[in-house]
Amino acid sequence: MPRSKARDKATGKPARQLLFSEALRQQKHPSAEDPPPLPCANMADDTQGATMDRILQEISAVSRKLEGMDNAMVVLMADTRSMRLDIAGFQSQISGLDHRVATVETQVASWTDRDLELSHLRSKLTDLEDRSRRNNVRLLGFPEGVEGADIFSYLRDILPKLTDITFDPPLEFQRAHRLGPKRQDENDRPRPIIVCMLRHLQAHQLLQMARTQGPFRSGNLEIWISADFSKETADRRRAFLSFSTQLRR
């Protein structure tokens, strides 16, 4: 007998219809004892593929970062090499500067000794110059040309009158001259007269009288007599007199 025509003895329905009805009933009312259906193989494959893609993306990102770090390390190594070369050059320059500084220090030490020696020699030269001028007398205030053609005769006549000193023997001079170039304007301050006395005692008498009685007057003229010091000694005396004047004030 054909299978499609088989019937259930109790219901009288065909067997195929009974099987179909039973399948529908089980789908609508699953049994509590039946296990949950397992995920299909396609879903598992999709999940694994997504995970692998994410891992590959992360690996690619890490690779790019490592590549950037490699490039930075290459640049850093190049900069470090350049800095080493610069430092080596600086060290060479510093070494050369140290040598030059040592040479300069040696020269400065020798210059210091020379300065001391030069200062000592200058002091001795000033002393010798002042000694050579011991017989010199500086006369200030005589108008230009008042001495005429014979300055010795004029001074021999005017100095005893100004100082009221009787010189015995009479005044005698080694040299006498105006200091500096001739004045172009008559209203300018007259040049001083430098007189070198033949006898030191006569120069001493004039200077002593000038310190106690000066300045001297001849008519409307005011005459100053002073020693003829070197420039260094004159500057020191001028500074000392200025300081003493300030202290007295």
Side-chain angles (χ1 to χ4, degrees), residues 200-247:
H200 176 69
L201 180 60
Q202 292 179 346
H204 178 72
Q205 288 176 324
L206 285 173
L207 295 174
Q208 187 176 14
M209 184 62 68
R211 283 192 291 268
T212 57
Q213 302 296 329
F216 304 101
R217 288 194 172 275
S218 176
N220 295 329
L221 300 179
E222 188 175 63
I223 307 301
W224 294 82
I225 300 177
S226 64
D228 182 35
F229 294 109
S230 62
K231 183 180 183 302
E232 290 78 6
T233 303
D235 291 341
R236 287 198 298 266
R237 285 174 60 86
R238 193 177 299 110
F240 175 76
L241 291 175
S242 176
F243 179 73
S244 300
T245 302
Q246 292 178 359
L247 287 180

Side-chain angles (χ1 to χ4, degrees), residues 65-77:
K65 290 182 180 180
L66 290 176
E67 183 178 359
M69 294 177 63
D70 289 340
N71 295 332
M73 287 296 295
V74 171
V75 174
L76 182 60
M77 291 176 64

Side-chain angles (χ1 to χ4, degrees), residues 29 32 53 78 104 187 212 227:
H29 303 283
D53 291 340
V104 170
N187 296 324
T212 57

Side-chain angles (χ1 to χ4, degrees), residues 176-192:
H177 61 89
R178 292 275 184 178
L179 184 63
K182 186 177 181 180
R183 298 287 190 261
Q184 300 298 326
D185 191 351
E186 295 180 356
N187 296 324
D188 291 341
R189 185 177 179 180
R191 296 173 294 167

